[in-house]
Amino acid sequence: MSDLTPEDDLTPEDWQYIAEGGLHVVFGFRGSDSHPFRGCVLRVPKKHPRVARAKRHLVGLSRALLTPRYSYDSKVVRLPIPFVSALFARAETHRPAHRLQEGEPGVLSLGHDDYIEATQEEDLATSSLPRDAESVQIISLEIKPKCGLVDVENLPTRFVMKEKANPDPRFAQRSAYNPADFHSLDASRFQRALMAIMDVPRNNFRYFNERRKGQQSSEHQASIPGEKRQFLLDVLTPIFAGEGETPPLVGDLLVGLLAAQSWGAGQQKTAEDVYASMTEEDRQKVDPGDSEEAAAIYDQAVLSFFNASQTDLPGLLTVVSPSDVLPHADNGWNTLQYRHHQAGQAIVRTPTSSSAAVEWVARYLMARTFMDVSLMVNLAVTPESDESLRDALTSRRYQRVPYQSGDIEVWYRVMVTDVDLKPAWKISRWRQDLDDILAAYHRDRDGEDVA
Ligand SMILES: O=P(O)(O)O[C@@H]1[C@@H](OP(=O)(O)O)[C@H](OP(=O)(O)O)[C@H](O)[C@H](OP(=O)(O)O)[C@H]1OP(=O)(O)O
Ligand SMILES: Nc1ncnc2c1ncn2[C@@H]1O[C@H](COP(=O)(O)OP(=O)(O)OP(=O)(O)O)[C@@H](O)[C@H]1O
């Protein structure tokens, strides 16, 4: 449901540009403490107002895939166009050059409505602090891990191939990051991945300015201050990779991400074939339109794959075992990738059940979504906590990190953002992208062999 935002509450000067991706610009509220928008961001679409529609699916998607621990509050709001224009005008000096080159946000000239649908979300870049916690320091990070599985047997991940042979012309520096290291559940490989994205952050890593109570800044920094690198390696390793026999604190999330990505990595050709076998009516069902039916299809697509019931939905992927999602040594694919691949091949060979095809493509699109999510990480660094601070932190879903240094305690929480569904029309674009990446990678490799 959309909420019409009272215009009195909307003052462009209260909002500060935080960051943007390909489709949205995010503005953080910097007005008075007593204002209803305190602690919120507006996530405003640039190109077309699909946010509200995608949001509806997000509910189904995150119910199916993530436990509530990794999801946060968000609702659809309608913003008057003059207000959005003023936000973009104020943001101009903060926006990266390559984004400004894309031209004026198309959403401003759609002309069929006098408002734009955006989402109002909890601000995960500054993370609201307990009111009584003067001494708590919050560090906010964003990690965009990309896909940790290989697309083509015996070749590196898509990110690695692209970076090696077909790097994004927007960026001068090449990245040594390998998403498979980030998702490996192995401490030293994880640290290698973290160092690579701290060295060349691009859109894989953002370090937001630290904030203490009373400070408002959340502008992000291009690179990470030297003295913070070791601290982050020490704190993030137990969270994302575990240490020795101790599993990672968010191991269920990583395994869930890999499980969801398994429905996409290596499945491109099958996706085209299954999609080609579908009727126009069935194709409509998987697109993030307005219907509640589509959300139900996405839920059902997950349940069917695991042969599970509706009551198993919340956090279903968190019961998947690491041995099902970690790639096998021989060729780099995992068990779920094979299973999904085989299910798709069966549909292509004998197109008997249209619902199976719809669900297969829905899973493929979910996988593509989960190849592009961001993880927003908040770290609360505090002198030894008392009971009221512990209660305040846990009520905001922070948990303790087993990190020992002097008197300080570190608490963390991780939220998954950018879970908008990908539209089915992208299936053919991904084919082209993969072909280009593979051709460039082989050219590059052949060139090296010759040299
Ligand atoms: O295709 P990729 O892997 O390059 O991912 C695109 C991202 O590029 P990246 O490689 O992360 O720099 C791209 O990120 P940037 O805009 O480059 O920050 C978008 O996330 C894009 O998704 P959408 O079109 O906004 O839904 C992403 O497109 P999808 O492939 O997820 O549709
Ligand atoms: N709730 C939030 N709180 C604070 N910052 C946020 C929030 N959501 C997003 N951001 C910041 O804004 C950036 C852009 O948002 P988002 O990833 O949703 O845009 P997008 O255009 O959909 O991304 P993509 O290009 O990956 O598709 C994020 O990378 C993150 O830095």
Side-chain angles (χ1 to χ4, degrees):
M1 292 293 264
S2 284
D3 288 353
L4 207 76
T5 310
E7 297 201 17
D8 291 351
D9 284 346
L10 293 168
T11 311
E13 290 70 31
D14 283 344
W15 297 88
Q16 185 187 50
Y17 174 87
I18 293 187
E20 68 189 283
L23 293 177
H24 299 94
V25 182
V26 173
F27 298 91
F29 183 75
R30 301 293 174 261
S32 95
D33 263 9
S34 54
H35 200 283
F37 279 124
R38 185 179 179 276
C40 290
V41 300
L42 291 173
R43 186 165 177 253
V44 183
K46 286 191 274 190
K47 293 182 180 146
H48 42 83
R50 62 164 208 181
V51 177
R53 286 175 292 151
K55 165 74 177 77
R56 226 164 271 177
H57 291 285
L58 180 152
V59 175
L61 188 62
S62 52
R63 259 183 70 222
L65 301 179
L66 305 167
T67 61
R69 185 179 160 201
Y70 303 115
S71 334
Y72 56 99
D73 293 339
S74 159
K75 69 171 181 177
V76 178
V77 289
R78 288 176 173 185
L79 306 173
I81 288 193
F83 169 75
V84 176
S85 286
L87 288 187
F88 281 124
R90 283 172 50 77
E92 206 161 301
T93 51
H94 302 280
R95 296 182 63 197
H98 71 270
R99 296 296 185 195
L100 287 170
Q101 275 164 14
E102 291 162 5
E104 192 189 65
V107 75
L108 295 176
S109 50
L110 285 174
H112 54 71
D113 273 323
D114 51 6
Y115 60 83
I116 286 167
E117 289 197 338
T119 49
Q120 177 187 336
E121 306 181 349
E122 187 177 338
D123 184 343
L124 303 169
T126 52
S127 179
S128 68
L129 294 172
R131 286 189 180 278
D132 54 348
E134 299 293 335
S135 56
V136 181
Q137 179 193 20
I138 298 283
I139 297 173
S140 300
L141 310 167
E142 175 180 2
I143 299 173
K144 186 176 184 176
K146 303 300 290 186
C147 182
L149 298 166
V150 299
D151 270 283
V152 181
E153 298 181 30
N154 299 314
L155 288 184
T157 56
R158 181 180 187 278
F159 184 96
V160 169
M161 288 197 286
K162 190 174 161 195
E163 200 54 25
K164 190 165 157 49
N166 202 11
D168 190 329
R170 292 175 302 177
F171 304 108
Q173 264 184 301
R174 291 205 185 187
S175 168
Y177 172 64
N178 183 356
D181 287 336
F182 181 88
H183 293 86
S184 65
L185 309 178
D186 173 276
S188 64
R189 288 184 64 186
F190 169 77
Q191 292 188 349
R192 186 161 71 200
L194 187 58
M195 283 191 283
I197 53 176
M198 287 196 286
D199 283 344
V200 182
R202 304 255 291 258
N203 67 1
N204 300 110
F205 186 80
R206 279 191 177 116
Y207 178 85
F208 294 93
N209 280 346
E210 293 158 32
R211 177 172 179 247
R212 285 177 192 275
K213 189 161 170 55
Q215 295 173 345
Q216 290 287 336
S217 170
S218 70
E219 281 187 26
H220 61 274
Q221 299 186 176
S223 64
I224 176 98
E227 74 280 5
K228 278 287 171 322
R229 289 172 67 100
Q230 190 57 48
F231 172 77
L232 291 178
L233 284 168
D234 292 345
V235 170
L236 296 180
T237 301
I239 298 176
F240 287 104
E243 282 167 318
E245 296 301 299
T246 314
L249 297 171
V250 299
D252 57 350
L253 172 64
L254 290 174
V255 172
L257 284 180
L258 280 174
Q261 293 178 354
S262 303
W263 298 324
Q267 321 278 328
Q268 175 61 34
K269 177 75 179 71
T270 312
E272 287 160 44
D273 293 345
V274 176
Y275 194 64
S277 76
M278 284 162 63
T279 62
E280 199 44 50
E281 197 190 336
D282 280 348
R283 288 178 183 180
Q284 304 267 328
K285 290 183 186 164
V286 291
D287 250 331
D290 263 334
S291 75
E292 294 300 324
E293 189 194 352
I297 284 170
Y298 277 84
D299 282 355
Q300 190 53 46
V302 182
L303 291 168
S304 302
F305 187 75
F306 289 104
N307 210 6
S309 72
Q310 193 67 27
T311 50
D312 296 329
L313 249 184
L316 183 63
L317 291 185
T318 62
V319 300
V320 175
S321 120
S323 61
D324 287 336
V325 294
L326 287 177
H328 301 301
D330 51 353
N331 60 9
W333 271 38
N334 70 32
T335 313
L336 296 191
Q337 273 176 292
Y338 276 120
R339 261 183 64 200
H340 198 235
H341 183 67
Q342 277 161 0
Q345 295 296 313
I347 293 166
V348 176
R349 276 197 307 272
T350 331
T352 44
S353 158
S354 83
S355 68
V358 168
E359 286 175 12
W360 195 96
V361 172
R363 283 192 295 270
Y364 180 75
L365 294 174
M366 276 194 253
R368 298 299 312 204
T369 293
F370 277 83
M371 290 176 184
D372 198 37
V373 295
S374 276
L375 308 179
M376 299 292 284
V377 184
N378 297 126
L379 301 172
V381 183
T382 162
E384 230 164 272
S385 56
D386 56 24
E387 201 179 327
S388 88
L389 179 56
R390 278 196 292 276
D391 288 348
L393 286 165
T394 43
S395 74
R396 285 166 176 78
R397 290 183 281 173
Y398 280 86
Q399 297 188 5
R400 185 83 188 270
V401 184
Y403 168 82
Q404 217 68 58
S405 174
D407 293 340
I408 66 159
E409 287 178 8
V410 180
W411 294 64
Y412 80 98
R413 64 175 195 177
V414 177
M415 300 286 158
V416 181
T417 67
D418 205 3
V419 278
D420 302 323
L421 277 178
K422 301 288 180 181
W425 65 257
K426 282 196 169 184
I427 290 175
S428 59
R429 203 211 70 193
W430 290 319
R431 156 91 284 148
Q432 193 57 53
D433 287 354
L434 187 58
D435 283 350
D436 292 349
I437 291 167
L438 282 171
Y441 182 74
H442 287 303
R443 262 198 316 274
D444 189 73
R445 216 165 51 162
D446 294 346
E448 270 176 17
D449 287 344
V450 171

